[in-house]
Amino acid sequence: MDTTVPDIHERSVSPHAEYRWTTTEIVVTATIAVTFGVVFWSWNLLWTATGGAFSALPPLQGLMYGVWLVPGVLAGLVLRRPGAAFFAATLAAVVSALLGSQWGLVAVVYGVAQGAAPELVFALRQYRATLTTALAAGLAAGVASLGLDLALYYPTWAPNWKWLYALTLLSSALVVAGCGSWALFRALRKTGVLSPLPAEAPPAAKAPALPGA
Amino acid sequence: MTAAAVTARGFGYRAAGRDRWVPRDVSFQIAPGERILILGASGSGKSTILRCLAHLLDPSGTRRGEVLIDDQHPSQSRHRIGLLMQDPDAFFALDRVGDDIAFGPQNQGLPRDVVRSRTEKALNIVGLDLPLAHKVDELSGGERQRVALAGVLAMQPDLLLLDEPTSQLDPSGALLIKDAVSSAVASRDTTLVVVEHRVDLWLDLIDRVFIVDDAGDLITGSLNEVIDTAAAQSTWLHPPATSPRPNAIEGEPRRTAQAPVLHAKSVTFSYTSASPALADVTCDVDAGHVMAICGPNGSGKSTLARALGGLIVPDDGSVRATANLVRDTNSHLLSTDIGRWSSRDLAGRIGSVFQNPEHSFVEQSVRAEVEFGPQVMAASIATDELLERMALTHLAAFNPFTLSGGEQRRLSVAAALATSPDVLILDEPTFGQDPATWKELLHLVLDQRAQGRAIVVVSHDERFVDAVATTTWRLEQGRVVGRQLQDEQ
Amino acid sequence: MKRNPLALLAPALMLGIVNAITLNMPTHLLTLAVTMACVPLLRIKAGQFLRTSWPLGVAAATLVLVNSLADPSPGIGWADLNTGLITAVRLLAIALPGLVAFMAIEPVSLVDALVQYLHLPPRFGYGGLAAMRLLPTLADDLHLRRMALRARGATPTGIVGRIGSTHTLLVGLLVTAIRRATRLATALDARGFDTLRRATARPSRWTGIDTTWCASGVIIALAIGSIPLITS
């Protein structure tokens, strides 16, 4: 068996793919979202608990932010087609709301923003899965979240606190949501678990017909 | 409903990234209304055959040969085929029983009243008297399996394909499934193909038996014909109940001196504030002995194993290591309470092997996986020798997640043994394994026992426990209700 | 009889927006009053409400503290507390309506409604629902993986080590999850999922009561939203 995985550029799907989403693609994307929903469940309580700890210098709480942005970026890398990032991020938020997150509908609004922003980046980068794309996508999700946070929660902060918060949040977005998602994506590819996805098929095999015919 | 006829000529399939064709070259004919049992070792391609009939093969692989359903390509017959796959945890579409069973008929575009009646009929066939609004999450394992079967039966398929429908169930649950299937196919309006290891269960229902051998080819015939042919290939047929107990054959020493390594005292633990998983359990683990933990589902067997493995901290009581186990660490003083040990201290002393081997994998190659533990402990290891012993040498460069089930099982055991722990804990090692792996595990456990390792085995496989255990502890509802020594069995 | 999810979410969204675009105590307080009145009307149990909303209370309290400290001038005066208080109440007013709405919604009804009325592609909606069926199993997998890693010696205590082990944890968890996902996808297709159409999908009911809820909710939201315009 070939243990080296070919360069991802060679295998990326055309962004104007003519085929509809396969069931596998839909369920895998949804499962990425749901898996992070499970992981966040323990983190959500941590966020509330550390709120007190960060009260000395609240803008530092931005450092924890990156994890929440991973599902959208990771889904975009794994699926490499329009809508993947958006679907994953929104679903992760909806699931957390349905499970009783204290943020309810607000979480969904955030999810939509945290999915739409990377979606834009992936489109501009033509759905090529590279480290640069991942970093840009993570950063974009961070910017969207930052905007929402400053508008909704921290409008009365002094400018220097706002800058500090931006710094910590965006760093976290870049490192965790950008690099972190990239690392996860690479590791997943090597395990072979992504091979049923059309995005992993060699280019020659991708006819407009539905995969599996 | 008219039963479907199936023809296969030279069918073969090769998964993405693999070089073997599994199955390799399979040809058969099934008459309408016939009932077929497919046997074969794990990984021989049985599930692949079913998926091909249902036109649901993984598109990333390559296929060859021809398969026809009533002389048509399977894609034309999708709506007539019902396929039930192995994993009941990855089946359900909706959260209530009635809604989920209705899922199939709804997708077939049937009117609402027909869907309703089919749902009720299917529930009847599987013998479940549940309200349609009952939540799937609140069902027991056996009930889930039956609801899943109902979901497939509600589609009233002309070809019913079942992939190990009873593998997760105990004997009584398995019988319920088999009875349900019997009534569903009684009128011979449905062709049945079942993949199973439990031959004796299905014997009276089936007409013919197919065997997929290790090469990926097919032998067909009536039960007697086929069993005789395959008798020489008995690696994958369950050892008959009357065979002599292996350790009598092996000539293993029956008794070695007691050298306790772990004392569990009054261990109490609950996962939630509801009922406790373990209540006041006291037991000892000795070197050179195999401690088997048995009991019904939910009796706390796995919880006890985790406590003995230092992976959960008891709410009350403790699990303490004896001086034999604590050993010199030359960097810090080690508490006797294993719940307080760091991950690294634990790895070198107590190895835990989980039911799903994938949960333990941390590296990207088999070699690295085996070397991980020793590296963490800054110890050295004869990697090649260990790989050789566990028949993993040819897989050394592969990613652990790409291995087959049996290979992963061997790897997780190898990784646990790599740090030379004094205690080895195995959680349901034979669960869902084919008879060949069963024998491998048997020899392994007996071998380790002879080498003086303390072994704990959690299992509901009575035959395995009989063969390896020195002491058998029985749990019920978190309490010890019995303890049996080997000589008394 | 359960309310149609959209009948609750539309007013909740409006209330959230109305409070997000202003900083006006009467608006926020009225929103909270109206929302709390809906809790018994929607037959939400007190226990469930408290269990779900207490972290929000903590967040609000923290916000009072944090925003009071935000002012560069030393000490905490009444003005600072006032700022803190109003931002906290505003936070509650933004988040609570949506929270209460979700407490009265069932996932499957939500998808049914989105598919029928908002033209959400059905395979995405029901695919998402099917993935939610994996939640209990995934939670178990996470628990097992954590323990298995501890047994392997893969749970270090330092900060750098923790990052590495989190990555390892996630990789393993995602592999197991994606495997289940591909098996689930095959099982769904085996029951005709790939032929799912909006026409044959599950129905979603919208009754007169839903119209009442939705309409009155939106009107109330607009009324509350116009308070700042009237008083300024």
Side-chain angles (χ1 to χ4, degrees), chain B residues 130-158:
Chain B
L130 292 170
L132 294 180
H134 194 108
K135 293 219 171 189
V136 166
D137 285 343
E138 290 163 15
L139 296 171
S140 72
E143 288 170 333
R144 288 174 72 124
Q145 195 88 22
R146 283 192 279 161
V147 171
L149 178 60
V152 174
L153 293 179
M155 296 175 70
Q156 296 190 348
D158 296 332

Coordinates of all heavy atoms in Angstrom, one line a residue, chain B residues 130-158:
Chain B
L130 N -43.7 -1.3 21.4 CA -43.3 0.0 21.9 C -44.2 1.1 21.3 O -44.6 1.0 20.2 CB -41.9 0.3 21.4 CG -40.7 -0.5 22.0 CD1 -39.5 -0.3 21.2 CD2 -40.5 -0.2 23.5
P131 N -44.4 2.2 22.1 CA -45.1 3.3 21.5 C -44.3 4.0 20.4 O -43.0 4.0 20.6 CB -45.3 4.3 22.7 CG -44.2 3.8 23.7 CD -44.0 2.4 23.5
L132 N -44.9 4.4 19.4 CA -44.2 5.0 18.3 C -43.4 6.2 18.7 O -42.4 6.6 18.0 CB -45.2 5.4 17.2 CG -45.9 4.2 16.5 CD1 -46.8 4.7 15.4 CD2 -44.9 3.2 15.9
A133 N -43.8 6.9 19.8 CA -43.0 8.1 20.2 C -41.8 7.8 21.1 O -41.1 8.7 21.5 CB -44.0 9.0 20.9
H134 N -41.6 6.5 21.3 CA -40.5 6.1 22.2 C -39.1 6.5 21.6 O -38.9 6.4 20.4 CB -40.5 4.6 22.4 CG -39.6 4.1 23.5 ND1 -40.1 3.6 24.7 CD2 -38.2 4.0 23.6 CE1 -39.1 3.3 25.5 NE2 -38.0 3.5 24.8
K135 N -38.3 7.1 22.4 CA -37.0 7.6 21.9 C -36.0 6.4 21.6 O -35.8 5.6 22.4 CB -36.4 8.6 22.8 CG -37.2 9.8 23.0 CD -36.3 11.0 23.1 CE -37.1 12.3 23.0 NZ -36.4 13.5 22.9
V136 N -35.3 6.5 20.5 CA -34.4 5.5 20.1 C -33.2 5.4 21.1 O -32.7 4.4 21.4 CB -33.8 5.8 18.7 CG1 -32.6 5.0 18.4 CG2 -34.9 5.5 17.7
D137 N -32.8 6.6 21.6 CA -31.7 6.6 22.6 C -32.0 5.9 23.8 O -31.1 5.5 24.5 CB -31.4 8.1 22.9 CG -30.7 8.8 21.8 OD1 -30.1 8.1 20.9 OD2 -30.7 10.0 21.8
E138 N -33.3 5.7 24.1 CA -33.6 5.0 25.4 C -33.8 3.6 25.2 O -34.3 2.9 26.2 CB -34.8 5.7 26.0 CG -34.5 7.1 26.5 CD -35.8 7.9 26.7 OE1 -36.9 7.3 26.8 OE2 -35.7 9.2 26.8
L139 N -33.5 3.0 24.1 CA -33.6 1.6 23.9 C -32.4 0.8 24.3 O -31.3 1.3 24.3 CB -33.9 1.3 22.4 CG -35.2 1.8 21.8 CD1 -35.1 1.6 20.3 CD2 -36.4 1.1 22.4
S140 N -32.6 -0.4 24.7 CA -31.4 -1.3 25.0 C -30.8 -1.7 23.7 O -31.4 -1.5 22.6 CB -31.9 -2.5 25.7 OG -32.5 -3.4 24.9
G141 N -29.6 -2.3 23.7 CA -28.9 -2.7 22.5 C -29.7 -3.6 21.7 O -29.8 -3.5 20.5
G142 N -30.3 -4.6 22.3 CA -31.1 -5.6 21.6 C -32.3 -5.0 20.9 O -32.6 -5.3 19.8
E143 N -32.9 -4.1 21.6 CA -34.1 -3.4 21.1 C -33.7 -2.5 19.9 O -34.4 -2.5 18.9 CB -34.8 -2.5 22.2 CG -35.5 -3.4 23.3 CD -35.9 -2.5 24.4 OE1 -35.3 -1.4 24.7 OE2 -36.9 -2.9 25.1
R144 N -32.6 -1.9 20.0 CA -32.1 -1.0 18.9 C -31.9 -1.9 17.6 O -32.3 -1.5 16.5 CB -30.8 -0.3 19.2 CG -31.0 0.8 20.2 CD -29.7 1.3 20.6 NE -29.1 2.1 19.5 CZ -28.7 3.3 19.6 NH1 -28.8 4.0 20.7 NH2 -28.2 4.0 18.6
Q145 N -31.3 -3.0 17.8 CA -31.1 -3.9 16.7 C -32.4 -4.3 16.0 O -32.5 -4.3 14.8 CB -30.3 -5.2 17.2 CG -29.7 -6.0 16.1 CD -28.3 -5.5 15.7 OE1 -27.7 -4.9 16.5 NE2 -27.9 -5.9 14.6
R146 N -33.4 -4.6 16.9 CA -34.7 -5.0 16.3 C -35.4 -3.8 15.6 O -36.1 -4.0 14.6 CB -35.6 -5.6 17.4 CG -35.1 -7.0 17.8 CD -36.1 -7.8 18.6 NE -35.9 -7.4 20.0 CZ -36.9 -7.6 20.9 NH1 -38.1 -8.2 20.5 NH2 -36.7 -7.3 22.2
V147 N -35.3 -2.6 16.2 CA -35.9 -1.5 15.6 C -35.3 -1.2 14.2 O -35.9 -0.9 13.2 CB -35.8 -0.2 16.5 CG1 -36.3 1.0 15.7 CG2 -36.7 -0.4 17.7
A148 N -33.9 -1.4 14.2 CA -33.2 -1.2 12.9 C -33.7 -2.2 11.9 O -34.0 -1.9 10.7 CB -31.7 -1.4 13.1
L149 N -33.9 -3.5 12.3 CA -34.4 -4.5 11.4 C -35.8 -4.1 10.9 O -36.1 -4.3 9.7 CB -34.4 -5.9 12.1 CG -35.0 -7.1 11.3 CD1 -34.1 -7.3 10.0 CD2 -35.0 -8.3 12.1
A150 N -36.6 -3.6 11.9 CA -38.0 -3.2 11.5 C -37.9 -2.1 10.4 O -38.7 -2.1 9.5 CB -38.7 -2.7 12.7
G151 N -37.0 -1.2 10.6 CA -36.8 -0.1 9.6 C -36.6 -0.7 8.2 O -37.1 -0.1 7.2
V152 N -35.8 -1.7 8.1 CA -35.5 -2.3 6.8 C -36.7 -3.2 6.3 O -37.1 -3.1 5.1 CB -34.3 -3.2 6.8 CG1 -34.0 -3.9 5.5 CG2 -33.1 -2.3 7.2
L153 N -37.4 -3.9 7.2 CA -38.5 -4.8 6.8 C -39.7 -3.9 6.4 O -40.5 -4.4 5.6 CB -38.9 -5.7 8.0 CG -37.9 -6.7 8.4 CD1 -38.4 -7.5 9.6 CD2 -37.6 -7.7 7.2
A154 N -39.8 -2.7 6.9 CA -40.9 -1.9 6.6 C -40.9 -1.5 5.1 O -41.9 -1.1 4.6 CB -40.9 -0.6 7.4
M155 N -39.8 -1.6 4.5 CA -39.7 -1.3 3.1 C -40.2 -2.5 2.2 O -40.2 -2.4 1.0 CB -38.3 -1.0 2.7 CG -37.8 0.3 3.4 SD -36.1 0.7 3.1 CE -36.1 1.2 1.4
Q156 N -40.4 -3.6 2.9 CA -40.9 -4.8 2.2 C -40.0 -5.2 1.0 O -40.5 -5.2 -0.2 CB -42.4 -4.7 1.8 CG -43.2 -4.6 3.1 CD -44.7 -4.8 2.8 OE1 -45.1 -4.7 1.7 NE2 -45.5 -4.9 3.9
P157 N -38.8 -5.4 1.2 CA -37.8 -5.6 0.1 C -38.0 -7.0 -0.6 O -38.5 -8.0 0.1 CB -36.5 -5.6 0.8 CG -36.7 -6.0 2.2 CD -38.1 -5.5 2.5
D158 N -37.7 -7.1 -1.8 CA -37.7 -8.3 -2.5 C -36.4 -9.1 -2.3 O -36.3 -10.3 -2.5 CB -37.8 -8.1 -4.0 CG -39.2 -7.5 -4.4 OD1 -40.1 -7.7 -3.6 OD2 -39.3 -6.8 -5.4

